[in-house]
Amino acid sequence: MERKKLYIQTFGCQMNVQDSEKMAALLEGSGYDTTDDADLADLIILNTCSIREKAAQKIYSQLGRYHALKEQKPHLRIGVGGCLAQQWGERFFRRAPELDLVFGTHQIHRLPEIVGALEKEGERRVETDLCDRVHSLTIPAQPTAGAVSTFVTIMQGCDNFCAYCVVPYLRGREESRPMTEIIGEVEKLAERGIREVTLLGQNVNSYGQKGSDCRDFTDLLTAIGGVSGIERIRFTTSHPKDLSPRLIDCFGKVAPLCEHIHLPVQSGSDRILNAMNRGYTAEMYLEKVAALRHACPGISITSDVIVGFPGEEDADFEATLALMREVRFDNLFSFQYSEREGTAAAAMNRKVSAGVKRERLRILQDLQAVHTLERNRSSIGRTEAVLIEGPSKKESREVTGRTRGNRIVNFEGEKGLIGKTVFVRITEAFPHSLRGEMEAKGAADVH
Ligand code: SF4
């Protein structure tokens, strides 16, 4: 059988990156090899995201480009998957007449069958049913050759229904992968040279509540902590309301668990947190931060904030800045609220104007830049264990890696050290990275 070329373009979150890797692995069995040149492709898949308006606009403009390509290559097939495909379904065809296929977040495992039918029958297809089970959860991760770090999906979907979020509608309800299956996958990854795994799910803290073998997230962390060869464990994303004392206790107890947590707060105003349906107050959030710092002094804490949620007044925004000043996050991902069709927030009145949202975001990001640099500077003079991930992008004599607190460090070192953990003394701090010098004792087997 003559091999064909598959080009996948991925938008959005890490979950989508994982899904794209699974699509490529599944379609390999149908005769498709991946290419990174869209012009060579026989099949183009856009794995879409609908979390932000900007991502959706980018997807439509890419489709315009592929439309032109299809006029030159009539046999080219174009499909869209992911969240925007789930949301728009058949409506996508009206917006993008060049499309052949729209498939949803629960149909990935059927891709070989769906593409096969498309090739045979030539009819446009829409496959967007949400199933009781997320079958693609069981498809293992496919890390790139030579990678030292990878993501492992442990659950998918969400039952939380935060007022601004489309995930529960587009990814379905929460479902956890059986623990034995996850451990088996991590063991195989360790045998292939993976040293660091990031456990992935929309709300990893509620792992095990539905669909797994009744073990909880701390059981899973403890078990992965015992897998030989795995030096580092991270996880994302955590919901503050589900961050249990047992889980907080794992920091410092499960040796490979890195001293970093991403804990999205979204707002510092109780009124807005309530309108967002987040299930905690600012005070409860601060208590969790204090408990984390008590269990694990020096833990790196990063977060997400949305500015301009409907009804957000100056006083609410000030409360967010006050919380930031109190916590002093190591880093923060901040966004202007953007309306998502079908969510509770879309029906709320008192929308905040674009100008106010822009200004609030600027103020917040300026404040965070001060905090990030302050936190980075506090590393100067310390010796950090750094897992080397690859060559530095800027300096040919340098390599780049991460501290356990998830800070990027560049330093002079041999390429042969890639994949190893070494001790580095931090000498300089910048807004987005650190620089250091490798200690003479060199490679270290450290936790
Ligand atoms: S926890 Fe909230 S923001 Fe996160 S995926 Fe679920 S509904 Fe969306």
Side-chain angles (χ1 to χ4, degrees):
M1 179 172 62
E2 200 191 331
R3 305 289 296 174
K4 291 164 281 183
K5 295 276 183 218
L6 166 70
Y7 177 77
I8 304 183
Q9 188 170 7
T10 310
F11 298 84
C13 66
Q14 193 56 46
M15 193 70 92
N16 265 15
V17 175
Q18 285 270 294
D19 284 348
S20 292
E21 287 173 0
K22 290 175 181 180
M23 289 175 201
L26 286 167
L27 287 172
E28 207 183 329
S30 302
Y32 284 92
D33 295 325
T34 50
T35 172
D36 43 22
D37 184 352
D39 291 350
L40 300 179
D42 302 289
L43 171 64
I44 292 176
I45 292 177
L46 282 89
N47 193 7
T48 66
C49 168
S50 69
I51 294 288
R52 308 209 181 281
E53 186 66 36
K54 245 193 206 158
Q57 282 160 3
K58 262 200 219 160
I59 289 155
Y60 291 126
S61 87
Q62 271 310 98
L63 278 170
R65 197 191 139 220
Y66 298 142
H67 179 56
L69 196 59
K70 195 165 176 168
E71 283 179 343
Q72 296 159 25
K73 281 174 71 170
H75 79 278
L76 172 66
R77 310 251 185 233
I78 304 174
V80 289
C83 290
L84 201 63
Q86 186 69 47
Q87 184 173 17
W88 276 67
E90 192 143 12
R91 285 185 291 163
F92 236 122
F93 289 137
R94 271 183 258 144
R95 192 115 192 212
E98 63 281 2
L99 270 184
D100 299 288
L101 169 65
V102 178
F103 63 98
T105 54
H106 283 199
Q107 297 297 323
I108 293 167
H109 65 292
R110 291 186 54 230
L111 211 46
E113 172 201 333
I114 294 170
V115 169
L118 178 68
E119 287 172 339
K120 206 161 140 207
E121 294 155 23
E123 297 274 310
R124 293 173 134 190
R125 301 185 76 87
V126 182
E127 305 275 356
T128 52
D129 285 351
L130 285 178
C131 318
D132 292 339
R133 299 230 47 209
V134 189
H135 297 278
S136 63
L137 258 184
T138 59
I139 305 169
Q142 312 284 333
T144 47
V148 291
S149 172
T150 195
F151 290 82
V152 173
T153 306
I154 62 163
M155 48 102 61
Q156 205 190 146
C158 187
D159 293 350
N160 280 322
F161 291 92
C162 298
Y164 51 83
C165 183
V166 281
V167 164
Y169 308 99
L170 303 184
R171 289 267 174 187
R173 300 303 161 83
E174 196 175 286
E175 184 180 328
S176 297
R177 232 179 129 183
M179 191 161 128
T180 43
E181 197 179 289
I182 298 169
I183 304 293
E185 182 173 331
V186 173
E187 284 169 348
K188 285 205 187 90
L189 289 168
E191 281 163 22
R192 285 177 56 179
I194 293 292
R195 295 288 159 260
E196 175 182 276
V197 288
T198 301
L199 308 177
L200 193 63
Q202 266 87 22
N203 180 16
V204 292
N205 301 356
S206 60
Y207 171 83
Q209 285 175 17
K210 273 165 60 188
S212 86
D213 24 21
C214 298
R215 311 290 291 274
D216 75 6
F217 188 51
T218 57
D219 295 328
L220 181 66
L221 280 177
T222 309
I224 295 177
V227 174
S228 167
I230 295 297
E231 278 179 28
R232 293 183 172 195
I233 306 169
R234 303 184 188 278
F235 56 84
T236 193
T237 288
S238 301
H239 195 305
K241 82 173 164 52
D242 297 322
L243 182 66
S244 66
R246 263 190 90 203
L247 179 51
I248 291 172
D249 257 10
C250 286
F251 287 99
K253 280 202 184 136
V254 177
L257 181 60
C258 287
E259 295 78 19
H260 168 228
I261 186 166
H262 185 69
L263 196 63
V265 65
Q266 307 299 8
S267 171
S269 154
D270 290 346
R271 208 175 60 79
I272 297 299
L273 286 170
N274 187 39
M276 286 176 165
N277 193 30
R278 290 290 288 173
Y280 54 86
T281 61
E283 192 184 341
M284 287 156 76
Y285 184 89
L286 291 171
E287 280 167 12
K288 305 250 173 172
V289 167
L292 281 162
R293 286 185 168 152
H294 179 73
C296 183
I299 189 169
S300 167
I301 302 178
T302 55
S303 195
D304 295 339
V305 166
I306 296 171
V307 296
F309 187 79
E312 186 189 71
E313 312 243 349
D314 286 346
D316 300 306
F317 178 61
E318 283 301 325
T320 300
L321 298 179
L323 183 136
M324 285 170 62
R325 286 191 193 99
E326 186 152 355
V327 177
R328 297 187 116 72
F329 292 112
D330 291 82
N331 212 343
L332 187 75
F333 299 88
S334 47
F335 310 92
Q336 294 179 36
Y337 168 77
S338 72
E339 190 170 301
R340 287 283 151 276
E341 185 186 310
T343 60
M348 289 178 187
N349 297 320
R350 302 183 54 229
K351 299 280 188 307
V352 177
S353 75
V356 170
K357 282 195 274 190
R358 226 179 4 253
E359 181 58 6
R360 285 182 185 164
L361 189 66
R362 187 192 62 74
I363 294 169
L364 183 141
Q365 289 182 338
D366 284 352
L367 177 65
Q368 183 55 42
V370 172
H371 292 170
T372 303
L373 192 56
E374 175 187 290
R375 302 287 294 172
N376 283 354
R377 281 188 177 142
S378 71
S379 302
I380 294 177
R382 269 197 238 145
T383 295
E384 298 269 4
V386 176
L387 174 60
I388 306 178
E389 294 176 359
S392 157
K393 287 193 185 107
K394 288 190 187 145
E395 287 285 338
S396 59
R397 286 180 311 153
E398 291 192 348
V399 288
T400 188
R402 276 171 205 270
T403 65
R404 289 175 58 91
N406 212 27
R407 288 191 169 81
I408 296 170
V409 187
N410 294 299
F411 58 99
E412 213 175 299
E414 305 275 320
K415 307 284 177 289
L417 289 170
I418 293 168
K420 298 217 162 36
T421 300
V422 298
F423 287 118
V424 177
R425 195 171 57 80
I426 306 302
T427 53
E428 285 180 274
F430 307 103
H432 305 293
S433 65
L434 304 173
R435 183 180 301 281
E437 286 163 9
M438 197 167 79
E439 300 249 297
K441 55 190 161 187
D445 179 18
V446 285
H447 286 314

